[in-house]
Amino acid sequence: MDLSVLNPAAIGAALIVAATPLLFAALGELVVEKSGVLNLGVEGMMIVGAIAGFAAAVETGSPLLGVVASAAAGATLSAVFAFFALILMANQVATGLALTMFGLGLAAMLGQPYSGMPAPEFPALSLPVLSDLPFFGRLLFSHDPLVYLSLALTAGTWLWLGRSRAGLILRAVGENHHAAHAIGYRVTAIRFAAVLFGGACAGLGGGYLALVQTPLWVEGMTAGRGWIALAIVVFASWRPWRALLGAYVFGGVTIVQLNLQALGVSIQSQYLSMTPYLATILVLVLISGERRRAAEAPACLGKPFRAEG
Amino acid sequence: MTALLEVEGLTKRFPGVLANDAVSFAVERGQIHALLGENGAGKSTLVKMIYGSMRPDAGAMRLEGQPYAPTDPGAARRAGVGLVFQHFSLFDALTVAENVALGLPPEEAGADLAERIRKVSAAYGLPLDPERRVGELSVGARQRVEIVRCLLQRPRLLIMDEPTSVLTPQEVGQLFRTLRQLRDEGVSILYISHKLDEIRELCEAATILRHGRVTGRCDPRSESARSLAEMMIGQELAATRPLSAAPGEVRLTVRGLSLAADRPFGTALRDISFDLRAGEILGVAGVAGNGQDEFVEALSGERRAQHEAIRLDGAPIGAFGPDRRRRLGLCVAPEERLGHAAVPDMSLTENAILTARRRARLASRGGVLRLGAAARFARAVVERFDVRTAGVEHAARSLSGGNLQKFVVGREIMQNPAVLVVAQPTWGVDAGAAAAIRQALRDMAEAGAAVLAVSQDLDELMEISTRFAVMAGGRLSAPRPMAELSVEEIGRMMGGTGGEVAHAEA
Ligand SMILES: Nc1ncnc2c1ncn2[C@@H]1O[C@H](COP(=O)(O)OP(=O)(O)OP(=O)(O)O)[C@@H](O)[C@H]1O
Ligand SMILES: [Mg+2]
């Protein structure tokens, strides 16, 4: 086994890149679930975000516009979910699943002309001194701006949920929608906004995948990342920093698997691809045994709300 | 000078019921005004409209002479109207301070909020720790959170929907001092309660509702509790008969029951022993949070105990769950009606099936529900306990508080258990219906059942119990016959609540 092919800084940097789409999608879904809505359409919103971002970047030549387009596309698709699940009060699980299937189909259709095209390059950050540091320069200071955006978003979500009044109201709505309504908060409007945010984040995650990580358009390229993001939210027990940890762990698993293949370790790649899911199930089992942790789920998660009177 | 609040012809219709029918009344400045009416009379509906959480179908309101039509509770709060809800509008996972902040306008919920909560709670004698999670608080403490949340808004009109139903006598005394203090500061108070003695003590005016209509106005200070009750129900109140039957066989035996606390700030049960005989009603009093919840959970089987510690008719049942105990003849009606005793979003029929499935044969052996029989059973409960509802197919949530209470207690009584454990049997139930529930408990005992009632309402326990015990610090005093206890002695038994039990002379 030749370990010299492994460069720790490069592996670390690749891990961060692999984790970033997961982080975007998980943070978005975390906020959605904190408001009491379960949107299982993350996978669908991600892939629509991916093709929208890719197409926009190719057509305009601007990766930045691509990013904006992917967030907008994710948000648009989530608005469809919000309309059915929150306004018409369709079952959230069924609507979310339908959204995923719809998204996958729509993206495949829109993506046909873009197969095999290159995406315009996303400029990486290059800081005068920091980026040239040995090891850390490569690991931490030579990424594209979206990586830093995802980190800022983690901190922002944490601060916003825990420290701001708006975040408190969002948590209250997810905790007890009847009480929130009785005090005078507009439960449906708040949830609608949360779902849109979640959609934009999922779209952004998809966009990152197509514009930076791959960067190519391949049909079905999200390959279950939306589901992993959903699992990360539970793994993180609805806390932003733990979502970051979760995303990096699952990102790490992906990278380890690739590097093991590079080293010629002969485990069938399917087994390795299963590891995130197995890890998720294991974590869920461990968490559910703990009473305190189980109680951290928003109490109204997935319950429809109908205002009375 | 105009009144603070004038209500003109307010009308609200729900599917199947006219909850408020052209209601008119006025609350003067600095007045404590009572709103009286039996369960389902429309009191909560009326105050929800004043608070802006429901819109009237017709009618108008004026606040200090100005037209007042709040579109949402925020608007009502800005206009100076505060409401303490009958069913708490609190968030279990959030802290006291966060819960309070949610009810305040943003500019008032600043960083010094915890300090202000401490100040207000000290000034008005409502002890609260702003950092605690509400989910860990006792019912009484939750109510204090609601009250403090209102007081921080410095309201001109404070509405209290049955604030004392769950408070201890000391807490009620303190609350009344608070309310009088507020009145002297010029605040008007609209006060809903079924405790007529309290109303006579506290209120200066009263408006009486029946079936959604104003049927009378009076000065409660010059009425008796009985005459108020009769104005409310529109007929004479039946006096309760004393319990005649002599106690029979021991049905329930508890020996050395101990259970660790299973939640933060819970109370551990310590070495509880007593016998419960057929034909008797054992009343268990005590200040809330002294282990009553845990005690009821241990008896119901929600929490398992040592198998031998609890015996029903001699056979150990301590390790059995609620379903099995119920089948053997031990039924329990727990305290919290929304969410614990009943599933809010299920219909009355479905809620009946949940506990009466076996004893009332609402499902076949194979587990297929007998919906017709279940609906008949639910209708029988509704009829016998005079539950006001448009039909048993309606969700439990849509019932008024007292009516749901009648339903959940009646559902257990109608299963004819050998042993019935009830917690706060008449919480929020109007005088007429409370008398009916108490009578039903006595009838059960006379027919040979054994009844254990946990309640914070001493008057109620003194009225129905044949034996009496006090719960303090997770221990139960030795039960004593009610007949040989004086009020002073009861006071002494209750007084030993500092963690040690009043002496058990057994
Ligand atoms: N959201 C609702 N949907 C349908 N019916 C309702 C709803 N809320 C209340 N009602 C009905 O309106 C009537 C009045 O209810 P309300 O809660 O105002 O009574 P209340 O006087 O407060 O009684 P209690 O003393 O038992 O609390 C009842 O018949 C009740 O079933
Ligand atoms: Mg009421």
Side-chain angles (χ1 to χ4, degrees):
Chain A
M1 202 185 281
D2 180 11
L3 288 176
S4 66
V5 298
L6 298 182
N7 171 347
I11 292 179
L15 182 156
I16 292 174
V17 169
T20 299
L22 295 175
L23 182 56
F24 275 122
L27 283 175
E29 180 67 11
L30 189 149
V31 170
V32 174
E33 293 192 11
K34 270 287 184 192
S35 81
V37 181
L38 182 65
N39 183 356
L40 294 180
V42 182
E43 178 85 4
M45 299 185 296
M46 276 183 95
I47 192 117
V48 169
I51 183 59
F54 192 85
V58 167
E59 300 301 338
T60 64
S62 154
L64 191 67
L65 280 180
V67 169
V68 173
S70 58
T76 309
L77 201 59
S78 72
V80 176
F81 170 86
F83 177 73
F84 280 103
L86 302 180
I87 310 281
L88 302 182
M89 272 173 284
N91 179 297
Q92 292 181 9
V93 170
T95 312
L97 290 174
L99 196 70
T100 285
M101 290 187 271
F102 172 74
L104 287 168
L106 180 72
M109 185 182 81
L110 296 177
Q112 264 167 6
Y114 297 97
S115 270
M117 270 191 204
E121 183 114 352
F122 215 101
L125 188 73
S126 143
L127 296 168
V129 183
L130 291 174
S131 303
D132 299 328
L133 285 178
F135 187 73
F136 288 108
R138 171 96 191 256
L139 178 64
L140 297 179
F141 300 111
S142 311
H143 287 289
D144 54 279
L146 286 179
V147 166
Y148 304 107
L149 177 68
S150 74
L151 297 176
L153 198 63
T154 311
T157 309
W158 173 70
L159 273 175
W160 187 82
L161 278 177
R163 296 277 155 10
S164 80
R165 180 173 172 86
L168 175 62
I169 293 171
L170 182 102
R171 284 186 287 141
V173 165
E175 185 58 29
N176 183 347
H177 48 218
H178 290 293
H181 175 72
I183 304 182
Y185 293 109
R186 293 168 59 206
V187 174
T188 304
I190 291 166
R191 288 188 169 163
F192 207 112
V195 168
L196 288 184
F197 174 80
C201 285
L204 209 55
Y208 187 86
L209 195 63
L211 291 170
V212 182
Q213 190 178 341
T214 320
L216 268 179
W217 166 252
V218 184
E219 195 184 317
M221 68 185 299
T222 46
R225 282 179 180 79
W227 299 109
I228 294 182
L230 276 161
I232 288 173
V233 176
V234 180
F235 164 84
S237 39
W238 294 269
R239 292 185 192 180
W241 289 113
R242 292 213 200 141
L244 178 88
L245 180 72
Y248 279 43
V249 167
F250 288 124
V253 172
T254 320
I255 297 306
V256 166
Q257 158 207 334
L258 289 177
N259 280 290
L260 284 177
Q261 282 175 12
L263 286 173
V265 177
S266 61
I267 301 175
Q268 275 187 340
S269 65
Q270 283 86 342
Y271 285 109
L272 291 166
S273 323
M274 285 179 215
T275 34
Y277 300 97
L278 291 176
T280 306
I281 292 171
L282 195 70
V283 166
L284 291 182
V285 169
L286 291 179
I287 288 177
S288 64
E290 247 183 276
R291 255 193 147 185
R292 220 177 59 76
R293 281 281 207 103
E296 278 170 8
C300 283
L301 183 56
K303 293 189 195 160
F305 172 75
R306 195 187 300 266
E308 35 185 71
Chain B
M1 203 164 92
T2 54
L4 179 79
L5 174 76
E6 292 164 279
V7 170
E8 271 297 321
L10 277 199
T11 298
K12 179 79 190 177
R13 181 182 291 283
F14 291 117
V17 260
L18 192 54
N20 279 177
D21 185 2
V23 173
S24 303
F25 72 104
V27 181
E28 304 295 331
R29 252 172 271 255
Q31 183 186 54
I32 306 187
H33 190 112
L35 203 52
L36 292 176
E38 43 184 350
N39 296 130
K43 304 178 298 294
S44 295
T45 306
L46 180 58
V47 299
K48 280 184 195 159
M49 291 191 289
I50 299 174
Y51 188 60
S53 58
M54 277 186 185
R55 304 272 186 90
D57 297 334
M61 293 178 273
R62 297 164 78 77
L63 193 68
E64 299 206 306
Q66 302 300 311
Y68 168 70
T71 48
D72 63 275
R77 285 196 298 264
R78 279 191 295 281
V81 176
L83 170 63
V84 173
F85 288 90
Q86 177 175 13
H87 294 117
F88 306 142
S89 55
L90 296 176
F91 306 92
D92 284 355
L94 307 182
T95 66
V96 170
E98 288 174 325
N99 269 280
V100 171
L102 283 165
L104 294 178
E107 62 278 8
E108 297 223 3
D112 62 335
L113 185 60
E115 200 37 54
R116 284 171 50 218
I117 292 174
R118 282 204 189 86
K119 236 186 247 158
V120 167
S121 68
Y124 292 102
L126 305 163
L128 269 187
D129 175 1
E131 316 301 336
R132 281 271 284 269
R133 274 193 193 212
V134 164
E136 296 160 354
L137 299 181
S138 69
V139 189
R142 284 162 178 245
Q143 184 135 48
R144 292 200 287 276
V145 178
E146 290 252 15
I147 295 173
V148 167
R149 175 157 78 187
C150 279
L151 292 185
L152 275 170
Q153 298 166 50
R154 288 180 296 274
R156 288 188 283 174
L157 173 66
L158 180 62
I159 307 173
M160 312 206 97
D161 196 350
E162 299 192 29
T164 58
S165 311
V166 290
L167 299 187
T168 62
Q170 296 90 319
E171 289 171 319
V172 171
Q174 183 55 54
L175 175 68
F176 283 9
R177 277 195 289 285
T178 307
L179 294 181
R180 293 203 180 98
Q181 185 180 339
L182 285 166
R183 177 198 51 200
D184 295 342
E185 291 167 9
V187 177
S188 304
I189 293 159
L190 186 58
Y191 190 88
I192 300 179
S193 172
H194 291 295
K195 297 193 177 168
L196 301 173
D197 288 319
E198 289 181 353
I199 291 199
R200 291 179 47 237
E201 187 188 332
L202 185 72
C203 303
E204 294 132 24
T207 299
I208 294 158
L209 287 181
R210 191 179 334 137
H211 300 307
R213 271 195 228 139
V214 177
T215 56
R217 292 167 222 278
C218 66
D219 181 345
R221 289 168 301 187
S222 57
E223 300 284 335
S224 71
R226 195 183 181 86
S227 67
L228 284 176
E230 286 171 2
M231 284 168 85
M232 265 166 57
I233 59 180
Q235 64 192 43
E236 296 215 344
L237 205 56
T240 40
R241 288 177 287 113
L243 197 56
S244 56
E249 310 266 278
V250 173
R251 305 305 298 261
L252 185 73
T253 316
V254 173
R255 285 287 172 273
L257 171 66
S258 296
L259 264 189
D262 68 334
R263 64 205 98 174
F265 311 107
T267 310
L269 297 181
R270 293 165 219 239
D271 197 20
I272 290 177
S273 300
F274 66 94
D275 287 327
L276 188 62
R277 291 173 181 275
E280 72 171 359
I281 301 180
L282 173 61
V284 175
V287 176
N290 269 287
Q292 290 96 328
D293 294 352
E294 288 82 358
F295 182 51
V296 172
E297 282 169 19
L299 291 178
S300 72
E302 273 174 79
R303 289 191 64 201
R304 312 295 156 89
Q306 309 88 306
H307 197 44
E308 307 288 327
I310 306 176
R311 287 168 180 271
L312 184 66
D313 293 327
I317 56 163
F320 294 159
D323 200 45
R324 185 125 178 225
R325 292 190 193 190
R326 220 178 261 125
R327 223 180 326 160
L328 295 171
L330 168 65
C331 287
V332 177
E335 168 174 358
E336 206 169 314
R337 52 197 169 217
L338 271 180
H340 193 173
V343 182
D345 290 319
M346 284 192 174
S347 71
L348 294 183
T349 303
E350 286 165 323
N351 272 295
I353 294 172
L354 289 177
T355 79
R357 183 175 76 253
R358 293 193 195 271
R359 296 190 68 81
R361 301 220 172 68
L362 304 185
S364 74
R365 284 215 162 273
V368 179
L369 298 181
R370 297 169 52 214
L371 291 173
R376 273 196 298 282
F377 177 81
R379 271 198 293 274
V381 175
V382 164
E383 221 157 277
R384 172 154 171 219
F385 290 90
D386 189 27
V387 179
R388 306 278 162 82
T389 167
V392 294
E393 68 284 355
H394 285 260
R397 184 189 294 292
S398 76
L399 263 63
S400 80
N403 276 309
L404 184 56
Q405 183 70 17
K406 292 190 242 172
F407 183 82
V408 298
V409 174
R411 176 182 66 181
E412 305 307 319
I413 291 180
M414 297 269 296
Q415 295 179 43
N416 293 322
V419 177
L420 175 67
V421 176
V422 278
Q424 320 291 359
T426 60
W427 173 12
V429 174
D430 67 55
I437 289 183
R438 291 179 194 141
Q439 191 55 52
L441 294 176
R442 288 155 165 278
D443 291 347
M444 275 188 77
E446 270 180 349
V451 178
L452 189 152
V454 179
S455 176
Q456 290 194 39
D457 186 340
L458 263 187
D459 296 331
E460 166 167 290
L461 290 181
M462 293 195 322
E463 184 186 330
I464 61 171
S465 312
T466 57
R467 287 200 301 154
F468 182 84
V470 170
M471 186 127 217
R475 293 175 200 270
L476 189 71
S477 70
R480 304 197 28 204
M482 198 73 218
E484 63 180 50
L485 284 174
S486 64
V487 177
E488 289 82 73
E489 262 175 303
I490 291 178
R492 263 214 313 282
M493 290 171 79
M494 300 278 298
T497 47
E500 265 311 305
V501 203
H503 257 66
E505 44 260 54

